[in-house]
């Protein structure tokens, strides 16, 4: 081996910065102290036993570095930077803009945290565009792998793990494990379920997670075909089933399926045309969106606070909003009819809902209101009466059942359980708030699963199964109550779900074998059952096997 020359051969402590103070030479340690003093003289706030490698390009506007935190060789650090204790920015990582990093954070080599952005409006060349900065926030105890990109505006919750090569474009909840481009949450880091819970068959048949993984692969293979069969050439949009009238929901289901199954956007229609279709008929006075073949006047015919236009128009607040969100767009106008529900008006509208006899309809109304409040906050800066809505729900929950509404002689617990899903989806789940009675919720939902009028073989619909899977999943994040029973129920649903797939067509809304009526494969059925598959897998701790996660109406995490 040739003689060593000066240069990086002596810089190992600057790359392995965690060991600097125990492995660096006396000369290197003295040089490091001088570097730290120079940074402090320039206004940096530095804790004990920090390291800022002499090979790091460290040119911040402001810098706070906690005790025992390090910037390794060839890291590039500029802007307004605050890093807690015991955190490491490894070699070749880029940390720029407005960045807040907690304690005990590991940032892998070649990772980029970009807490700024350039605008790109068409009125001037790119090099003349202004720079914007919202900033990036990373909680305590986070591990970010190598070659990760985190874009401006993202918050990564404490205790999360970001897989190598991920591109993080949206907020990450606490305790998440996320992977991919764009990054998607695959499971909760706290879930330590072992493989003995997977109820593997002893006769050689696949485990539930294997069966769902195979289903997901088939769905991806069939994605283009199942969308093409529901494309309406005459109207230039999608129908739920071949030959049916085109609807807003069908177009939105197509957008969600294309995103879920890796197509990006549907191949039959351009992104700009989708956005135009979903926004052009929004009524500026109310913010509501009519059916595709309705006029603005019909859609906005004096909607009352208690009905929000009724029927599918309510659901457009969900499906059109999330379809636009997936495309990086938004509504043109706020949903004013909901923003105006202030104080007594909100309470009066809540109390007009049919809680006693039709809790599902009442839950549908709350879901629509909650989602409208979300869009108004996120897109238009309107705080709205969210606190009034959530407060009323806390005060009016049945503390013995965890539900809102009453069971009915004709269908038992179906109304309150299904209403619970719709209600909590648009409020507690969508805003990341804890349920008021999670253990009682699980008791009631499990009792409903024993109703053979809905759940005997061949009778289940996507709504009925989702309205069990999501509440069990949501409540299960607050309690381990009856966890083994919940997992047993989830595992039992998987063979039925897998067998209901129709090659090249997807799922029908109902799980009947005759493929007629609501059992005909449809965009709605396919989108809902694929979301259900994710929830069933995640209840078993195996959602990562699917390779997808719902990001639209049926997304699991708060937006």
């Amino acid at each position: 081996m040739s003689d060593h020359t000066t240069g990086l051969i002596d810089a190992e402590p600057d790359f392995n910065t965690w060991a600097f103070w125990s492995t660096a030479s006396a000369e290197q340690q003295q040089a490091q102290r001088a570097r730290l003093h120079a940074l402090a003289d320039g206004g940096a706030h530095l804790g004990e036993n920090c390291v800022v490698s002499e090979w790091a390009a460290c040119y911040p506007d402001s810098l706070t570095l906690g005790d025992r935190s390090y910037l390794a060789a060839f890291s590039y650090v500029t802007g307004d930077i605050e890093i807690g204790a015991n955190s490491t920015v490894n070699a070749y990582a880029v940390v720029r803009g407005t960045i807040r990093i907690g304690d005990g954070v590991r940032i892998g080599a070649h990772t980029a945290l970009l807490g700024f952005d350039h605008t790109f409006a068409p009125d001037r060349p790119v090099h003349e565009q202004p720079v914007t900065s919202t900033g990036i926030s990373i909680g305590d105890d986070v591990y970010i792998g190598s070659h990760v990109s985190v874009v401006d505006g993202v918050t990564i919750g404490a205790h999360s793990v970001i897989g190598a090569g991920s591109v993080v474009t949206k907020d990450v909840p606490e305790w998440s494990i996320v992977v991919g481009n764009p990054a998607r949450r695959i499971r909760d880091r706290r879930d330590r379920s072992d493989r003995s819970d997977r109820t593997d068959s002893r006769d050689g048949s696949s485990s539930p997670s294997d069966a769902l993984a195979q289903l997901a692969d088939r769905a991806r293979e069939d994605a283009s075909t199942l969308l093409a069969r529901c494309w309406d050439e005459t109207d230039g949009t999608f129908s739920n089933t071949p030959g049916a009238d085109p609807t807003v929901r069908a177009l939105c289901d197509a957008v969600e399926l294309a995103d879920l199954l890796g197509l990006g956007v549907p191949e039959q229609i351009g992104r700009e045309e989708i956005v135009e279709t979903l926004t052009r008929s929004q009524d500026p006075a109310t913010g509501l969106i009519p059916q595709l073949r309705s006029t603005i006047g019909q859609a906005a015919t004096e909607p009352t606070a208690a009905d929000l236009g009724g029927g599918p128009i309510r659901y457009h607040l969900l499906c059109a909003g999330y379809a636009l969100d997936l495309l990086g767009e938004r509504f043109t106008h706020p949903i004013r009819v909901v923003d105006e529900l202030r104080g007594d008006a909100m309470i009066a509208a809540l109390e007009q809902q049919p809680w006693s006899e039709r809790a599902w309809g009442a839950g549908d109304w709350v879901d629509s209101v909650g989602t409208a409040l979300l869009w108004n906050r996120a897109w238009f800066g309107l705080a709205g009466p969210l606190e009034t809505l959530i407060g009323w729900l806390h005060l009016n929950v049945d503390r013995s059942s965890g539900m809102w509404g009453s069971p009915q002689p004709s269908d038992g617990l179906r109304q309150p359980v299904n209403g619970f899903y719709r209600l909590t989806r648009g409020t507690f789940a969508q805003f990341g708030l804890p349920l008021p009675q999670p253990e009682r919720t699980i008791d009631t939902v499990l009792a409903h699963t024993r109703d053979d009028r809905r759940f005997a073989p061949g009778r289940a619909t996507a709504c009925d199964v989702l309205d069990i899977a999501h509440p069990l999943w949501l409540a299960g994040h607050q309690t381990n109550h009856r966890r083994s029973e919940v997992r047993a129920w989830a595992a039992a649903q998987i063979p039925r779900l897998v067998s209901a797939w129709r090659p090249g067509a997807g799922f029908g809304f109902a799980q009947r074998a005759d493929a007629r009526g609501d059992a005909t494969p449809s965009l709605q059925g396919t989108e809902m059952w694929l979301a259900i598959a994710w929830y069933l897998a995640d209840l078993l701790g195996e959602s990562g096997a699917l390779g997808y996660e719902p990001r639209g109406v049926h997304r699991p995490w708060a937006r």
Side-chain angles (χ1 to χ4, degrees), residues 146-400:
S146 297
H147 295 278
V148 170
S149 295
V150 182
V151 303
D152 189 35
V154 164
T155 295
I156 297 177
H159 316 294
S160 294
V161 176
I162 313 300
S166 298
V167 178
V168 185
T169 61
K170 292 183 180 294
D171 290 352
V172 175
E174 292 186 356
W175 293 103
S176 296
I177 297 177
V178 304
V179 298
N181 178 9
R184 300 184 182 187
R185 191 179 195 273
I186 60 171
R187 68 180 177 91
D188 190 298
R189 182 179 159 198
R190 295 165 293 188
D191 191 337
R192 299 184 180 274
S193 58
D194 58 41
R195 301 192 71 87
S196 63
D197 281 340
R198 298 187 191 177
T199 61
D200 286 20
S201 194
R202 300 300 180 189
D203 61 2
S205 59
S206 61
S207 69
S209 61
D210 290 339
L212 286 176
Q214 292 168 13
L215 170 65
D217 288 341
R218 290 199 298 272
R220 280 186 282 269
E221 291 170 2
D222 287 350
S224 295
T225 304
L226 66 88
L227 288 177
R229 70 186 287 274
C230 294
W231 173 250
D232 189 311
E233 288 283 358
T234 302
D235 288 278
T237 188
F238 287 91
S239 302
N240 187 43
T241 57
D245 287 339
T247 63
V248 171
R249 177 165 186 167
L251 174 59
C252 297
D253 285 337
V255 171
E256 290 211 26
L257 285 168
D259 177 80
L260 192 75
L261 299 177
L263 297 178
V265 297
E267 300 166 353
Q268 293 79 11
I269 185 171
R271 176 184 176 279
E272 292 75 16
E273 189 174 354
I274 296 170
V275 173
E276 170 67 14
T277 299
L278 294 178
T279 59
R280 67 187 172 200
S281 62
Q282 188 188 20
D283 177 47
T286 64
L288 299 177
I289 296 177
Q291 293 280 50
L292 288 178
R293 290 180 175 171
S294 299
T295 66
I296 293 177
Q298 289 173 321
T301 301
E302 298 300 329
T304 67
D307 66 25
L308 298 181
I313 294 174
R314 288 184 189 174
Y315 196 81
H316 293 171
L317 295 173
L318 282 63
C319 66
Y322 271 108
L324 290 168
D325 191 51
L326 288 173
L327 297 171
E329 295 290 341
R330 66 177 202 173
F331 286 137
T332 305
H333 308 287
I335 300 93
R336 302 186 194 280
V337 69
V338 169
D339 186 61
E340 293 166 359
L341 282 173
R342 304 281 179 162
D344 291 344
M346 171 65 81
I347 293 171
L350 280 160
E351 292 180 348
Q352 289 180 59
Q353 301 309 310
W355 297 105
S356 296
E357 69 279 5
R358 199 163 54 84
W360 195 352
D364 167 76
W365 182 88
V366 173
D367 191 1
S368 303
V369 168
T371 304
L373 291 172
L374 176 73
W375 303 136
N376 282 348
R377 286 187 168 211
W379 292 339
F380 302 101
L382 300 174
L386 178 63
E387 289 75 15
T388 304
L389 174 62
I390 298 297
W392 189 94
L393 294 173
H394 272 283
L395 290 172
N396 287 276
V397 66
D398 184 334
R399 300 189 181 279
S400 65

Side-chain angles (χ1 to χ4, degrees), residues 481-532:
H481 183 58
R482 300 178 72 176
R483 176 66 61 86
S484 61
E485 294 173 71
V486 169
R487 287 180 170 170
W489 174 83
Q493 308 312 304
I494 292 172
R496 300 177 187 177
L497 188 153
V498 170
S499 65
W501 179 261
R502 298 291 176 263
F507 288 108
F509 178 74
Q511 280 187 347
R512 290 197 305 274
D514 56 17
R516 293 179 297 163
D518 58 4
T520 301
S522 64
L523 295 180
Q524 178 185 351
T526 303
E527 187 275 322
M528 291 187 72
W529 284 112
L530 288 176
I532 290 166

Side-chain angles (χ1 to χ4, degrees), residues 373-456:
L373 291 172
L374 176 73
W375 303 136
N376 282 348
R377 286 187 168 211
W379 292 339
F380 302 101
L382 300 174
L386 178 63
E387 289 75 15
T388 304
L389 174 62
I390 298 297
W392 189 94
L393 294 173
H394 272 283
L395 290 172
N396 287 276
V397 66
D398 184 334
R399 300 189 181 279
S400 65
S401 67
M403 300 281 121
W404 292 264
S406 305
Q408 301 295 308
S410 59
D411 54 8
L413 290 164
R414 189 188 192 208
Q415 287 290 332
V417 169
N418 291 14
F420 177 95
Y421 163 64
R422 289 299 305 275
L423 179 155
T424 58
R425 192 218 72 86
T427 53
F428 297 96
Q430 201 162 227
F431 288 95
L433 304 173
L435 295 172
Q437 297 291 327
E439 293 188 351
R440 301 292 75 77
T441 293
I442 291 172
D443 290 340
T444 303
V445 173
L446 286 176
H448 181 47
T449 66
R450 296 190 288 271
D451 188 340
D452 283 345
R453 290 173 294 182
R454 297 295 167 190
F455 302 109

